[in-house]
Structures are given as C-alpha cells and as structure tokens.
Amino acid sequence: MRELMYRDAVLEALDEEMARDENVFMMGEDVGRIGGNFKCSVGLLDKYGDLRMKDTPISEQAIVGMGVGVALTGLRPVIELMFADFMMVCADQVFNQMAKITYMSGGQCNVPMVIRTPMGGGRSSAAQHSQSLQAWAAHIPGVKVVLPSTAGEAKGLLKTAIRDNNPVIFFEHKMLYTAKFNDVPEPGDDVCIPFGKARIVIEGDDITVVTNSAMTVKAEKAIHNLQKEGISAELIDLRTIVPLDTDSIIKSVKKTGKLLIVDEGHISFGISGEIALRIMPDIFYDLEAPIERLGTADVPLPFSPALEFPLIPDEKKIAAKMREMVKGA
C-alpha cells in the first residue's frame, strides 16, 4: 500500500479503466481541458483525446441524458456533475430515465453508467453547493449509491462502479479530495472493492459507530481520542448504502449493545433512520440503550463558516455523543 491523495486515487481509477476498456469515456463540465473542477481528471484529455474526454455545455440535463443514450448502445460513460446539488437540475434524466430503463424494459436494456459528484459541506459554498443528498438518491430503486471515505476506497469502488452493468451514483466528499491516505494499492494492482460489504475500521466492545464518507474520518479520530478514556468503539464504514451491508452492523451491535449512526445528510428522513429501523428486528433484545444518530441540522447550509460549521457533525460532537452513550450524561 502507498500514500495518495483522494483525488489522485480517483484519477488513477479513471485512467486504468479507460486504458482497460475503450468503451469507457468521460463527459462533464471542464473535465477535459482543466482536468475537472476538483482536478480528478488532469492529463486524461492529452492521453485519450477529445472523443473520450468530452467537455460539455453547462446543461446537466443534457449531460446525463446523453450519458443514458450512449450507455444504452453499450458504451460505459462516466458523468461528472460539478456538485451533487445539481442532480436536481437533471433529476428527470437521473431518476425517471437512468434508474428505471432496465426495469421498464424487462431487463432487455442495461444502463452501465456512473455519475460522479462531490457532496457535503465544509467549504462555505452556501446552500446550493453543500448538500449531502445520498438519502435522496438511495430512495429511488434502480441505482446503486456509493460513498468512499478513503483514497483506497475511492479507487477500488470506482473501478467496481465503472464495470457494473447498472447505473451507479458515486458521491465523492469535497473535503477529502486533498486529504492523503496510505491505503492505495500499487499501480497495476487491479483491486476492485465489492459493493455491499462494509469495512470494519476499528474493532471495539463498548459501542458500534456506523458512518460513511467524510464522517468515517471524523469518527475514527474521535474514537482514537476516546480510547484514552477507556472507551472501546467499533467503527463500521458502510462504503455503499445501496446495497447496504446490514449483516456487519447487526453482528457488531449484538456484541456492543449500543449503536450510534453518523451521516452528514440532514437528520430528518435520512440514512440513519433507515438503518435503525431496518436492523431493529435483529438487534432489539441486544440493545442496552436507544439507538442514537448524528447528522446535519435541518436547515439550509449557510455561506458563513461561523454559521455553517456548527451545523455539521464533527469530531467533538461524535466523541461527546459516544461518551454520553457509554458513560451516561
């Protein structure tokens, strides 16, 4: 394993998959000449040419619609939307077309395409560029929803997504792009991470903490700090929420008796509530305390950092909630 920035791991996955399969190509705003808004496709235009690295007009509906069309012909488009918030602009193409064609055709048509898009707050980009819409995407049958939390996961899960014969929405947290991780396989190692299999980041006995994306990084730091207080937490990184690995969560909660779910989406109607209810029949009699959750407050994210940061779960909030659940208020 080697150290690499999250965005460079995404770039490696794209490069390796385009080299492996000539049917793989990219489309999006500024993906070619400037290498993507967050620099995840730098150099690919020079290497693969304009036919496989298509800079597009500023029209998310046209970009995704064209992706659906070419996917139906057998190509494997990777669409980059500059921000996850912009899925709303092309929602008809994403959720009425891309997600439903295989079902409506009785399996006669496949739509092997990936939508890559940055999610999350932390950059003070205001209410229309900072949302975490993974629960919204997961609510629509027909798409797989992926949220990598490390560079190694970003590379391995993206390779799996590109090879999948079904549409995948691939959320990359914008606050992770320049973070470095030491879990990336060597170049040429063709490591694909399977969907629907969570990662046990830290093993523990006192409480189970379930996270995804950047919340995994924050929770891991919080858990390491709490170890000094004698609190032993088990951290589960979901990796994908569609499909969802409930087996790993159930097994862990049966051991610890307590569960905290941390997701950056808004608290109401989110991933945390779905997980809690889905596993309840299997863990009800093992619980020693009510299931708790942390998420972003139910308000649009403000532009001001002083107002934005307190709304999003951070290491201190995660640690405080874990301490409360294990030791009591």
Side-chain angles (χ1 to χ4, degrees), residues 10-192:
V10 172
L11 173 59
E12 275 197 357
L14 292 168
D15 188 9
E16 290 179 12
E17 290 305 296
M18 291 180 74
R20 184 190 62 84
D21 185 350
E22 63 181 10
N23 289 319
V24 177
F25 76 103
M26 277 195 68
M27 290 193 299
E29 300 164 19
D30 298 325
V31 298
R33 294 192 180 279
I34 73 168
N37 193 41
F38 290 96
K39 306 302 179 186
C40 292
S41 54
V42 173
L44 297 183
L45 175 64
D46 293 335
K47 189 170 184 178
Y48 296 103
D50 181 64
L51 287 178
R52 296 184 67 192
M53 290 297 301
K54 298 300 295 183
D55 284 325
T56 65
I58 304 175
S59 174
E60 285 78 16
Q61 192 169 12
I63 300 166
V64 176
M66 186 180 297
V68 173
V70 297
L72 288 169
T73 72
L75 299 180
R76 293 182 175 272
V78 179
I79 306 300
E80 179 175 295
L81 297 181
M82 198 170 285
F83 292 94
D85 314 66
F86 298 168
M87 281 197 302
M88 295 179 182
V89 181
C90 53
D92 176 64
Q93 294 295 331
V94 176
F95 298 114
N96 278 335
Q97 308 303 328
M98 182 186 82
K100 294 180 171 64
I101 287 176
T102 298
Y103 173 79
M104 294 177 69
S105 69
Q108 296 179 79
C109 301
N110 290 325
V111 187
M113 64 181 288
V114 179
I115 295 178
R116 294 180 40 250
T117 189
M119 62 167 277
R123 294 182 75 248
S124 301
S125 299
Q128 297 172 340
H129 298 76
S130 304
Q131 296 174 88
S132 297
L133 298 172
Q134 56 270 28
W136 192 57
H139 185 70
I140 306 299
V143 295
K144 298 180 180 181
V145 182
V146 182
L147 298 104
S149 66
T150 70
E153 286 188 2
K155 183 176 181 180
L157 289 167
L158 183 53
K159 291 170 75 71
T160 301
I162 292 171
R163 299 182 193 187
D164 200 295
N165 287 326
N166 302 283
V168 178
I169 300 179
F170 195 90
F171 289 101
E172 301 162 5
H173 202 289
K174 58 177 72 77
M175 296 305 293
L176 296 178
Y177 276 129
T178 56
K180 292 182 178 180
F181 300 87
N182 60 0
D183 66 336
V184 184
E186 294 297 326
D189 290 349
D190 192 23
V191 178
C192 297

Side-chain angles (χ1 to χ4, degrees), residues 12 21-22 36 47 87 89 142 145 155 167 181 187-188 194 200 217 220 225 237 242 260 267 275 279 313 328:
E12 275 197 357
D21 185 350
E22 63 181 10
K47 189 170 184 178
M87 281 197 302
V89 181
V145 182
K155 183 176 181 180
F181 300 87
I200 308 300
V217 177
E220 186 174 6
N225 289 331
D237 173 22
V242 181
L260 172 64
I267 284 287
I275 291 173
I279 67 171

